[in-house]
Every structure is written in C-alpha cells, then in structure tokens.
Amino acid sequence: MNNLMKLSGRCLLSGARLLRPTVARLLSAEAGQTDLSQLVKKDKVVVFIKGTPAQPMCGFSNAVVQILRMHGVDEYASYNVLEDQELRQGVKSFSNWPTIPQVFFNGEFVGGCDILLQMHQNGDLVEELQKLGIRSALLDEQADEKKK
C-alpha cells in the first residue's frame, strides 16, 4: 500500500479527527522529501510524535502535546512515527534533525521538544503562534490575572 496514503490516513488533528488520505507516493528518497515537504505545509502546525496527542508514547512527545495544549493550540496535524519506520527516518532526513518529536510551523522546521520548551519558557512561542494567526491561551490567562 502507498506509504504516504497510509501516513495521511493516520494523520490526526489534535488526536480527534482523521484527515482524508492524499494521493501521492513515496517511490524514492527524492520523492519522499517532496512528499514530506507537502505534508508539513498542509497545516499551520504539524508535529511528528511517538504515539498520538491523545496517547503520547514517550515523555518528549507528551511534553510537545502539553505545551501546545497550554497555548490552546487545538487544531494541528499529528503523525505517529511509531506506525511507519520509513516516515520516522524520512522526517529525520528531511529536517536534518536526529530525534522525534519534530514540530513544523507553516512548513518550516521549528525543532524538537527542547526547542519548543525553550520557546515556551522565554515567550517566543506566543509570538510565533501569533505569526500563524493563533492566539495563545496564555495571553488570555495573563489578562485574567491582571484583572484580579
């Protein structure tokens, strides 16, 4: 069966809704890179994790899911790399980053758990989300705190 079709069929938006499979194919490393390039551009936020947002299978993937959740990012594409070793290796080659999870904003590689955590801690994540048209829920919490 076509790898990208299987992969796209398993893609979850926020762990809840399945996206429709796309018709594309992974025939060679070059074609795989092109397909991954299209995949990371399909949604504003795309994550490659171990497991699903509803059930992360490693602590680092869980941390990425929790950080996005804290910021109120509910709609994002999530791909479970444990279900497809070609995807797991392909995304590492594509981003030139050796570990999973991997986070992409508007098709651009952001980093892994450590980078996302650092961005969360120093406030850069709020700014990056704003560039995507996503208002961080933390801004609302800060506004509520000031009212008290």
Side-chain angles (χ1 to χ4, degrees):
M1 183 176 193
N2 182 315
N3 286 334
L4 188 59
M5 239 174 106
K6 290 191 310 187
L7 159 70
S8 295
R10 289 191 299 258
C11 174
L12 297 176
L13 281 176
S14 189
R17 298 187 309 251
L18 284 173
L19 292 178
R20 291 194 174 126
T22 59
V23 180
R25 57 194 178 298
L26 291 170
L27 296 175
S28 66
E30 185 176 307
Q33 297 299 313
T34 301
D35 291 340
L36 278 169
S37 176
Q38 293 170 354
L39 201 59
V40 299
K41 292 176 183 172
K42 279 175 66 173
D43 294 275
K44 290 180 181 182
V45 179
V46 176
V47 297
F48 293 86
I49 61 174
K50 294 178 182 176
T52 66
Q55 191 171 11
M57 300 300 286
C58 86
F60 298 112
S61 293
N62 185 47
V64 165
V65 169
Q66 295 304 320
I67 290 168
L68 292 173
R69 192 169 290 149
M70 280 192 294
H71 285 269
V73 180
D74 297 324
E75 292 194 15
Y76 59 91
S78 173
Y79 295 91
N80 182 357
V81 299
L82 295 177
E83 292 182 350
D84 188 333
Q85 288 302 311
E86 285 183 39
L87 171 65
R88 186 176 187 170
Q89 293 309 313
V91 74
K92 290 177 183 183
S93 296
F94 175 76
S95 64
N96 198 27
W97 191 259
T99 59
I100 301 293
Q102 294 192 12
V103 180
F104 292 81
F105 290 167
N106 272 349
E108 296 292 323
F109 179 62
V110 174
C113 175
D114 54 342
I115 303 298
L116 199 66
L117 179 59
Q118 183 180 31
M119 291 174 68
H120 166 69
Q121 291 171 336
N122 68 20
D124 289 347
L125 186 54
V126 171
E127 293 175 23
E128 290 302 314
L129 291 173
Q130 284 178 330
K131 290 177 186 176
L132 299 174
I134 300 170
R135 179 172 170 81
S136 172
L138 294 183
L139 291 175
D140 297 332
E141 287 179 19
Q142 290 171 353
D144 290 344
E145 288 295 319
K146 289 180 181 178
K147 290 179 183 177
K148 291 182 182 179

